[in-house]
Amino acid sequence: MNNLKLNLEGVYPFVSKEKVFAFKAKVEESQRLLHSKTGKGNDFLGWLHLPSSITTEQLNNIKATAESLSQATEVVVVIGIGGSYLGSKAVIDALSNSFSQLLDNGAHPHIVYAGQNIGEDYHYELLQLLEKKSGAAIVISKSGTTTEPALAFRLIKNHLEAKYCKLVAKNRIVAITDESKGALRTLATQEGYTTYVIPDDVGGRYSVLTPVGLLPIAVAGFDIHELVRGAQDMEKFLMDAPFEENPAMQYAAVRNALYSNGKKMEILANFEPKLHFMTEWWKQLYGESEGKENKGIFTAGVDFTTDLHSMGQYIQEGERFFFETVLSIAKTKHQLVVPTDKDNLDQLNFIAGKRIDQINKMAELGTKIAHIDGNVPNIHIEIPELTEYNLGALIYFFEKACALSGYTLDVNPFDQPGVEAYKKNMFALLNKKGFEKEGDVLRKRLGI
């Protein structure tokens, strides 16, 4: 199958090929643990064979719901946080026209997001938008009590019911939640919302290929059948391919080899603006999966060439504790050539007649050489072009490699115990019942 290309030549000047391949046995053991379901967190492996388990009927059902939501709806609000919104936003942004919010072609609703922050102005302005535009909501939460999405949904639910009446509003709300328990499941049953299930054995950051990601992507007008087909082909390829031909296993190995060599941060760089939120999704996937037990590679992201004019100086000459992974797109959708200017005041006639993408590719190559010369190890990942099929394959590749890398690091890549710490403090400071004593201690500590 493999349309995804992994190039490690930019790593070997810093960590030898022998040292990378020394991790082969450990990564192969990680693969065995995954597929035998005997490793840490094995009750959260539903994503592993998720692509191949999705049926055409399920996809058609999701597509039908998307079409129903889209009718006479200008704006659909996707309510969720972390993996409940990052995956769908990554795919939608990668495939959308960069200026779709300003283009009112009426073919599909605009997708906006809520519940990913607690910004008062943000939510006020969102409600103003929904007052002017016809709206609907997809609310995503396993429990229904996660603060950020629960708060946003309370606001948006009240708005939709006030604007359309309760009976009409229920047909403008879809809940994606637990199959049988939790506050959102209870509410959805009471109100009669259309619902989809978040599988118990799929964690949020691995949930793009469940209705969590597929429904918003379908509402935006993209082909979820092709997205899933790309993931299915990648699933089969990565399960069957030996280490020497397996990009997920090699990516897991090289990350651990670099980490053991003192590289504590990985920067994911792209030269395509549409990939910004793919980087954000990747940051959560790897950061939340590996950052525990005082271990793990810190994940960061940059958008080039933009960030070469901000972070470029540090990457080139700062402390050498990181490595760089470049996510590259071989072919663009459109073609645009630099015109000739007779006065040449900007001194750009030397690139006249060249395509913009050719210039961008030379910027990418020049940056790679400069960073390697600046002692930054460089991993290169390339997909052919931005299509649903290729993005489905890329998503599954990153998920599989993340699980293998976490097991190789000897952590549980499927839990996230640390994310509860801030919530306990927030609840205590807001005087939530049961947190009163903790609140008193914190206020005294803070002098408030």
Side-chain angles (χ1 to χ4, degrees):
M1 168 255 172
N2 196 19
N3 283 335
L4 183 147
K5 297 178 181 177
L6 177 71
N7 187 327
L8 303 180
E9 293 303 316
V11 170
Y12 295 144
F14 309 95
V15 176
S16 70
K17 187 173 183 178
E18 290 72 25
K19 183 165 184 179
V20 171
F21 274 64
F23 279 86
K24 174 183 174 181
K26 179 67 173 172
V27 174
E28 288 177 336
E29 173 62 10
S30 297
Q31 173 99 318
R32 188 193 68 78
L33 289 172
L34 269 181
H35 287 278
S36 65
K37 297 188 177 182
T38 54
K40 296 177 181 179
N42 55 60
D43 50 342
F44 279 93
L45 293 179
W47 62 272
L48 186 59
H49 297 298
L50 179 62
S52 57
S53 70
I54 300 171
T55 67
T56 300
E57 290 72 24
Q58 288 171 324
L59 292 174
N60 287 340
N61 178 273
I62 291 170
K63 186 176 179 182
T65 299
E67 290 172 351
S68 177
L69 268 186
S70 298
Q71 292 175 0
T73 302
E74 297 169 285
V75 174
V76 173
V77 187
V78 175
I79 304 170
I81 196 166
S84 295
Y85 92 101
L86 280 171
S88 60
K89 184 161 178 58
V91 173
I92 291 167
D93 279 20
L95 296 172
S96 293
N97 184 296
S98 301
F99 306 100
S100 60
Q101 296 287 359
L102 299 175
L103 298 172
D104 190 16
N105 57 20
H108 301 283
H110 292 301
I111 307 296
V112 298
Y113 301 86
Q116 82 282 32
N117 63 60
I118 317 180
E120 186 164 10
D121 288 344
Y122 181 93
H123 286 86
Y124 182 89
E125 290 160 5
L126 175 58
L127 292 176
Q128 283 188 314
L129 173 68
L130 293 176
E131 188 59 43
K132 295 176 182 178
K133 303 284 187 180
S134 58
I138 300 170
V139 55
I140 305 165
S141 177
K142 224 167 205 177
S143 66
T145 58
T146 302
T147 304
E148 293 90 341
L151 173 60
F153 182 51
R154 179 180 286 202
L155 292 169
I156 291 166
K157 173 178 176 290
N158 285 355
H159 170 84
L160 292 175
E161 290 178 349
K163 183 175 181 178
Y164 298 109
C165 88
K166 199 166 185 177
L167 187 62
V168 174
K170 78 169 187 175
N171 295 320
R172 290 176 174 264
I173 296 171
V174 175
I176 305 176
T177 186
D178 189 88
E179 184 174 17
S180 59
K181 62 183 183 299
L184 182 56
R185 168 54 63 184
T186 299
L187 178 65
T189 301
Q190 290 175 351
E191 301 294 336
Y193 300 151
T194 297
T195 62
Y196 288 93
V197 171
I198 304 173
D200 285 339
D201 56 358
V202 178
R205 58 190 178 276
Y206 290 87
S207 67
V208 191
L209 298 172
T210 72
V212 168
L214 295 176
L215 180 58
I217 292 166
V219 171
F222 299 112
D223 190 340
I224 57 175
H225 289 267
E226 276 295 287
L227 186 81
V228 169
R229 187 172 73 86
Q232 288 171 341
D233 286 351
M234 184 60 78
E235 176 193 334
K236 185 177 188 308
F237 175 74
L238 295 180
M239 184 169 62
D240 296 338
F243 181 90
E244 291 75 12
E245 300 170 14
N246 193 309
M249 296 177 82
Q250 290 187 21
Y251 184 46
V254 75
R255 295 180 81 251
N256 278 273
L258 287 164
Y259 181 67
S260 68
N261 208 41
K263 302 302 183 183
K264 305 299 184 184
M265 175 189 288
E266 180 177 10
I267 299 175
L268 185 67
N270 69 79
F271 284 77
E272 169 50 65
K274 294 175 183 287
L275 290 175
H276 175 82
F277 269 91
M278 184 60 68
T279 299
E280 294 301 302
W281 171 78
W282 170 90
K283 281 164 57 179
Q284 187 209 1
L285 177 65
Y286 281 79
E288 198 169 77
S289 294
E290 291 188 328
K292 52 200 70 167
E293 300 177 28
N294 295 313
K295 299 179 185 177
I297 298 168
F298 184 85
T299 51
V302 287
D303 300 319
F304 289 158
T305 62
T306 303
D307 289 336
L308 288 172
H309 296 262
S310 56
M311 294 303 296
Q313 173 62 40
Y314 192 97
I315 294 171
Q316 190 68 42
E317 296 184 348
E319 283 198 60
R320 307 290 80 180
F321 61 90
F322 58 87
F323 62 98
E324 182 176 54
T325 297
V326 177
L327 178 56
S328 184
I329 311 300
K331 180 183 175 184
T332 61
K333 290 181 180 179
H334 309 291
Q335 296 187 15
L336 190 61
V337 174
V338 179
T340 300
D341 186 279
K342 66 181 180 64
D343 296 322
N344 196 30
L345 294 177
D346 55 14
Q347 300 180 33
L348 290 182
N349 276 352
F350 76 100
I351 54 174
K354 291 182 169 62
R355 287 185 53 199
I356 299 292
D357 190 55
Q358 182 184 357
I359 300 164
N360 197 33
K361 290 292 194 298
M362 292 305 101
E364 181 180 321
L365 183 57
T367 302
K368 175 180 178 179
I369 295 169
H371 288 178
I372 290 173
D373 288 347
N375 293 318
V376 178
N378 185 284
I379 301 168
H380 191 263
I381 298 170
E382 182 185 83
I383 61 173
E385 58 185 316
L386 287 177
T387 64
E388 290 94 334
Y389 179 87
N390 290 325
L391 288 173
L394 180 67
I395 285 166
Y396 189 84
F397 159 78
F398 274 137
E399 289 179 346
K400 183 69 174 287
C402 182
L404 293 172
S405 185
Y407 274 170
T408 302
L409 187 63
D410 196 28
V411 298
N412 179 352
F414 310 114
D415 67 354
Q416 54 279 339
V419 301
E420 298 300 318
Y422 90 91
K423 296 179 184 179
K424 293 176 182 177
N425 290 339
M426 178 176 68
F427 294 156
L429 291 167
L430 289 170
N431 295 316
K432 184 176 181 178
K433 187 176 180 180
F435 290 82
E436 294 87 353
K437 289 183 179 180
E438 292 89 340
D440 290 341
V441 171
L442 285 176
R443 279 185 285 275
K444 184 176 180 180
R445 175 178 166 184
L446 296 170
I448 58 175

